[in-house]
Amino acid sequence: MRAIQVKDYVKGPEDLTVATLPNLTPSPDSYLIAIHASAANFFDLLQIRGKYQYQPPLPWISGAEFAGVVLSAPASKSNPRFKKGDRVFGSSQGGYATQICAREESLMPVPPGWGFHEAAGLMVTVPTSYAALLYRAGVRKGDYVLIHAAAGGVGLAAVQIAKAFGAVVIATAGSKRKFEVARDFGADYTIDYNKEAWAEEVKKLTPKARGVDIVYDPVGMVNSSLKCMAWGGKIVIIGFTSGNIEKVAMNRVLLKNVSLMGMTWGSYSKEAPEMIERVWGELFQLVKEGKFKGTVYTDREFRGLESVREALGILERRETWGKVVVSVPQGAESKL
């Protein structure tokens, strides 16, 4: 097999190399999967530098999201959910490779009509956005929802989910191209968050300038968002892609009766495992109804594990939108 193996922490994605390694042997409770597409994530950039909260012991294979074909089912399961030849997507350490071993709970079936490219970026971003908006913020028809970094992976997922439940979406982004993308995926309004008075612009878009009901924040913009919140509004904190962990002005939270809530989808498998199938079942229904589509970045193509360096590089420079996905050729195809 071929893979991006990290033997020592690196300064940046440009230092990553592709290695030829022995083929994997799955444990009795794991599937063996041939990877056809791998998705890039911001946390990959932290992990290769040794700065992520989860660091496997060296050496390890980078990447965490993928889609591919089952090569073998777990030997310990008499009735596995997936069989040899099934198309699956999932999340497990080692996504930048031609093969991966993964447990059943970390896999889902590729939706009918979807390709590996579209499915590879589903496992982390989409349930995060769905659970955040539905089960944390309780989005309802008519809500005004402010989605920061709306042209990003979690952002475009959030835009589609909010619209599917009848919300009015105000999307923030930082470039003309990203405004176009956010609108293409359903945003009603777009706002440039580089402008000093962007929060006032947001308020003017709401009834009687009362402010938004829900803020979806993967960036770290709680303080500035409080300026355009409605009384009794909710801010869902998804992450800190700005690199800044804020100190929040709690007096504003108090005066506006605002609820601050966090959302980490990865913790649900331990703390609320019953929610996993529920959320995915509801998401697959949205896909079936045509209310959710893949968010793959299509302005450039990334083919082969050697292109992971470039994919992570433009992701870090914030030159992309949606999910950056790398095609992973198999066998003789990899030599083309």
Side-chain angles (χ1 to χ4, degrees):
M1 64 174 278
R2 302 176 75 243
I4 293 182
Q5 187 183 53
V6 177
K7 295 181 178 179
D8 295 294
Y9 297 129
V10 297
K11 292 182 179 179
E14 66 279 1
D15 297 323
L16 296 173
T17 59
V18 180
T20 299
L21 303 171
N23 286 339
L24 298 175
T25 300
S27 64
D29 60 351
S30 294
Y31 289 85
L32 179 63
I33 297 153
I35 295 177
H36 287 260
S38 297
N41 288 285
F42 274 104
F43 60 76
D44 295 336
L45 291 160
L46 296 174
Q47 197 177 50
I48 62 175
R49 293 178 168 108
K51 295 181 179 180
Y52 192 51
Q53 57 258 41
Y54 169 66
Q55 294 292 150
L58 294 167
W60 46 269
I61 297 172
S62 185
E65 272 190 300
F66 59 88
V69 176
V70 173
L71 296 177
S72 66
S76 63
K77 290 183 178 288
S78 58
N79 187 30
R81 181 179 182 183
F82 306 107
K83 63 182 185 299
K84 183 177 179 180
D86 282 352
R87 300 161 71 244
V88 296
F89 67 91
S91 178
S92 188
Q93 185 68 52
Y96 295 141
T98 54
Q99 293 183 354
I100 194 169
C101 294
R103 295 169 62 92
E104 192 163 281
E105 59 267 26
S106 65
L107 299 171
M108 287 288 165
V110 173
W114 283 47
F116 295 121
H117 232 59
E118 291 81 9
L122 286 175
M123 197 69 175
V124 174
T125 56
V126 181
T128 293
S129 296
Y130 191 91
L133 288 171
L134 268 293
Y135 292 106
R136 297 298 282 149
V139 66
R140 299 175 298 177
K141 184 177 181 179
D143 280 344
Y144 276 71
V145 180
L146 176 62
I147 299 175
H148 287 307
V154 291
L156 289 180
V159 168
Q160 294 183 84
I161 291 163
K163 291 302 297 179
F165 287 89
V168 177
V169 171
I170 303 172
T172 70
S175 71
K176 181 179 178 180
R177 177 61 178 139
K178 292 181 179 181
F179 299 152
E180 293 172 352
V181 170
R183 287 193 293 267
D184 287 345
F185 279 80
D188 297 284
Y189 306 100
T190 53
I191 295 288
D192 186 347
Y193 55 33
N194 293 313
K195 291 183 178 179
E196 188 174 345
W198 69 261
E200 284 302 313
E201 290 187 35
V202 169
K203 285 185 69 175
K204 291 175 183 177
L205 295 172
T206 63
K208 299 181 180 179
R210 63 173 170 78
V212 296
D213 304 291
I214 297 169
V215 172
Y216 179 94
D217 182 17
V219 180
M221 298 178 67
V222 172
N223 277 314
S224 51
S225 298
L226 285 168
K227 298 175 183 178
C228 58
M229 289 296 300
W231 189 92
K234 302 169 185 175
I235 299 178
V236 190
I237 301 157
I238 308 300
F240 313 97
T241 59
S242 67
N244 177 41
I245 298 178
E246 296 177 277
K247 294 181 179 180
V248 177
M250 297 304 290
N251 58 320
R252 290 181 180 173
V253 175
L254 182 151
L255 292 172
K256 287 193 172 184
N257 275 34
V258 170
S259 297
L260 301 179
M261 51 191 70
M263 172 65 213
T264 305
W265 176 246
S267 65
Y268 274 64
S269 60
K270 178 182 178 182
E271 304 295 341
E274 71 283 358
M275 291 295 294
I276 305 296
E277 287 295 328
R278 179 177 177 177
V279 166
W280 277 112
E282 293 171 7
L283 277 169
F284 285 142
Q285 185 60 34
L286 289 185
V287 171
K288 184 177 180 181
E289 294 171 0
K291 296 178 179 179
F292 190 93
K293 61 182 179 179
T295 62
V296 179
Y297 174 71
T298 56
D299 290 358
R300 292 175 63 181
E301 182 181 2
F302 300 94
R303 180 177 173 82
L305 293 172
E306 287 79 7
S307 69
V308 167
R309 293 186 291 262
E310 187 178 5
L312 287 174
I314 67 166
L315 181 68
E316 185 166 42
R317 295 191 299 273
R318 305 184 190 280
E319 297 173 2
T320 67
W321 53 264
K323 289 292 293 191
V324 176
V325 179
V326 177
S327 296
V328 182
Q330 288 284 324
E333 185 185 6
S334 67
K335 300 177 183 178
L336 297 178

